[in-house]
Amino acid sequence: MAKLAHAQWSSRMTFVLAAAGSAVGLGNIWKFPYMVGESGGAAFVFVYLLCIALIGLPILVSEWLLGRRGQKNPASTMSELARGANKPKAWAIVGVSGIIGAFLILSFYSVIGGWSLYYTVNSVSGAFIGQDADGIGALFNGMLSNPGLLLLGHSVFMLLVIGIVARGVTKGLEGAVRILMPVLALLLVVLIGYGMSTGHFGEALTYMFNPDWSKLTAETVLAALGHAFFTLSLGMGIMMAYGSYLGKDINLLQTARTVIIMDTVIALGAGLAIFPIVFANNLDLASGPGLIFVTLPLAFGNMDGGLILGLMFFLLLTFAALTSAISLLEPVVEFVEERTPLSRVMATVVAGVGAWLLGIAALLSFNVWSEPLMFGLGVFDLLDTLTSKIMLPLTGLGAILFAAWCLDRKSVEAELELSTTGKSVWNIIARYVAPAGVIAVFVTGLI
Ligand code: TRP
């Protein structure tokens, strides 16, 4: 997007689609359901929704607002806005740490993108047909224990991301998002319908929406907070970068609401599609990152039209993962391009290959390198924990603190087009509730 500096999104719709393309991805369909399963269900869902509304929304708005004012990449935006507000230049750290974090996330994100590609192939080859839970489980474990296969998937996925970003055609994808996102939502509805036919839908509903508060621990609250950041693509300067192309006439709060609703509906839909299958087959709720890969293929293998629906689903999942991965690589490329003499293509290759190499370490932690590296975690879990539970919340906290405390309050209120009550609500939430929430959760979750 570097060449488009000072350019603007052609309409609010294109912007919403680009932001939704970044937000809706593996986080919604792969990660959210397994986190719900690992954290015991509805209590986690409830805290997650609370984090989205009280912390995610104001931070999303803050990132866009900062980006729109700075009109640069996140690191330069932060240092310039800090200078303009007579604040220490150190605020640029918020931008820089975002870029590092995006690189780290991309490395393991691509590994899962590779799983999705492999499952696309599996769905066409008929690998799911007539399988029971054991057969589907064996397919997944077979993949996980095969480093060559994981490497192939990871490499193809990363090549696609590098190819798209190097050619600078990321903007061409919004048109596709406009069509494919509704199709994805429709497929989830079909899968929810299948879930109802298993007779275990009620159990899934209770599991997801009837909280058992005893399941809530400081750690699951931190996980919910981290995931709120992850799913909305917050805390990595990505939304800030998108905001830098945003026209002055666009209402940030309304736009944030639209993107958040889309993101949340897809995540909850994925949960409602998956949990009935878990209960119907007595699968392990806490099976972790493999959850969607051991549940949905069971549905595809045993329903009418499952072959074509399975193919469509995994293709769409791969596409959703691609649009998110692109948004992760883009800021890293812009940064490399700006700070080195490399051309855009070379900068993309360097950043992409770097993330690819780190991704190899992540994928090996599923098989030959499974012994813990640090804090009892392997490389994959380490990258996930470091980014979601530490870097995203801290960087997002920096963004909202800056927007709420360092910028001129009146001008922010005017920019957000707030009513009198709106002003008080915004100031209470952005200045106190959201930052205090992040700090409280962060501190209690880590100790
Ligand atoms: N939000 C994406 C998802 O849910 C992942 C993602 C894209 C992301 N860009 C990001 C996460 C920036 C954190 C920061 O799959």
Side-chain angles (χ1 to χ4, degrees):
M1 267 191 268
K3 292 181 196 67
L4 295 170
H6 312 300
Q8 283 182 4
W9 301 99
S10 51
S11 69
R12 175 171 179 265
M13 191 62 188
T14 5
F15 178 69
V16 167
L17 290 170
S22 170
V24 176
L26 294 171
N28 305 60
I29 298 172
W30 159 73
K31 200 170 184 204
F32 174 73
Y34 89 73
M35 293 187 78
V36 175
E38 278 181 338
S39 314
F44 173 89
V45 175
F46 187 81
V47 177
Y48 163 81
L49 293 175
L50 209 65
C51 288
I52 293 272
L54 288 181
I55 299 174
L57 177 80
I59 293 187
L60 181 56
V61 169
S62 301
E63 288 203 16
W64 283 345
L65 184 127
L66 293 172
R68 178 156 80 177
R69 290 186 172 204
Q71 300 267 312
K72 295 260 165 49
N73 75 60
S76 314
T77 284
M78 285 310 295
S79 62
E80 273 184 32
L81 290 178
R83 200 178 45 204
N86 273 328
K87 296 283 184 260
K89 245 190 122 188
W91 280 102
I93 292 175
V94 172
V96 176
S97 94
I99 290 162
I100 299 171
F103 176 84
L104 298 178
I105 294 179
L106 178 61
S107 70
F108 71 85
Y109 204 83
S110 168
V111 174
I112 312 299
W115 296 6
S116 179
L117 274 173
Y118 178 60
Y119 270 68
T120 310
V121 176
N122 273 332
S123 52
V124 220
S125 70
F128 309 147
I129 296 175
Q131 294 279 11
D132 58 7
D134 289 341
I136 295 290
L139 184 72
F140 181 72
N141 289 329
M143 174 187 79
L144 224 49
S145 59
N146 184 342
L149 186 61
L150 294 179
L151 180 62
L152 181 66
H154 169 51
S155 308
V156 174
F157 186 85
M158 192 65 94
L159 265 178
L160 288 170
V161 179
I162 293 176
I164 296 170
V165 174
R167 298 176 63 201
V169 292
T170 47
K171 294 214 63 171
L173 291 172
E174 279 96 58
V177 173
R178 182 199 297 259
I179 301 167
L180 298 178
M181 195 88 82
V183 182
L184 182 63
L186 205 70
L187 270 176
L188 287 175
V189 172
V190 173
L191 285 167
I192 292 172
Y194 175 83
M196 290 177 171
S197 77
T198 64
H200 291 263
F201 189 71
E203 229 172 308
L205 268 184
T206 312
Y207 182 69
M208 277 183 69
F209 297 109
N210 190 5
D212 170 0
W213 297 111
S214 69
K215 296 258 168 69
L216 211 60
T217 62
E219 202 181 324
T220 50
V221 175
L222 178 59
L225 176 76
H227 190 62
F229 282 92
F230 188 91
T231 193
L232 295 177
S233 301
L234 295 177
M236 290 290 110
I238 284 163
M239 289 303 183
M240 216 186 272
Y242 279 19
S244 69
Y245 304 104
L246 200 50
K248 288 273 175 251
D249 53 327
I250 288 180
N251 183 304
L252 297 181
L253 277 166
Q254 275 170 10
T255 311
R257 194 181 55 198
T258 311
V259 172
I260 286 181
I261 290 176
M262 285 162 85
D263 189 82
T264 308
V265 165
I266 301 267
L268 294 176
L272 287 176
I274 285 169
F275 287 112
I277 306 176
V278 173
F279 291 117
N281 294 281
N282 278 321
L283 295 171
D284 181 11
L285 280 163
S287 54
L291 188 65
I292 71 161
F293 298 96
V294 299
T295 48
L296 296 186
L298 273 173
F300 297 129
N302 295 291
M303 74 205 271
D304 293 334
L307 197 82
I308 185 82
L309 290 173
L311 173 64
M312 281 171 67
F313 178 83
F314 283 110
L315 267 180
L316 286 170
L317 180 62
T318 309
F319 178 81
L322 269 176
T323 54
S324 301
I326 285 162
S327 80
L328 286 163
L329 183 55
E330 187 73 44
V332 187
V333 170
E334 279 180 28
F335 188 76
V336 175
E337 212 184 352
E338 211 183 83
R339 305 282 157 116
T340 68
L342 295 178
S343 67
R344 179 177 177 93
V345 174
M346 280 316 291
T348 313
V349 171
V350 168
V353 169
W356 176 75
L357 286 172
L358 188 57
I360 295 179
L363 71 83
L364 291 179
S365 68
F366 286 110
N367 37 70
V368 294
W369 191 15
S370 57
E371 62 277 5
L373 180 69
M374 241 189 273
F375 312 115
L377 302 171
V379 179
F380 184 92
D381 292 333
L382 210 55
L383 285 168
D384 180 25
T385 305
L386 173 68
T387 50
S388 284
K389 294 195 181 147
I390 300 176
M391 297 182 74
L392 300 182
L394 286 186
T395 317
L397 177 66
I400 197 165
L401 284 178
F402 188 86
W405 291 96
C406 298
L407 294 179
D408 172 56
R409 183 167 151 176
K410 291 269 173 310
S411 75
V412 171
E413 289 168 357
E415 187 164 343
L416 296 181
E417 300 169 43
L418 296 167
S419 62
T420 322
T421 4
K423 282 180 194 161
S424 339
V425 175
W426 167 261
N427 283 309
I428 292 172
I429 292 188
R431 296 183 143 218
Y432 304 101
V433 177
V438 177
I439 295 170
V441 171
F442 188 72
V443 173
T444 45
L446 276 194
I447 52 179

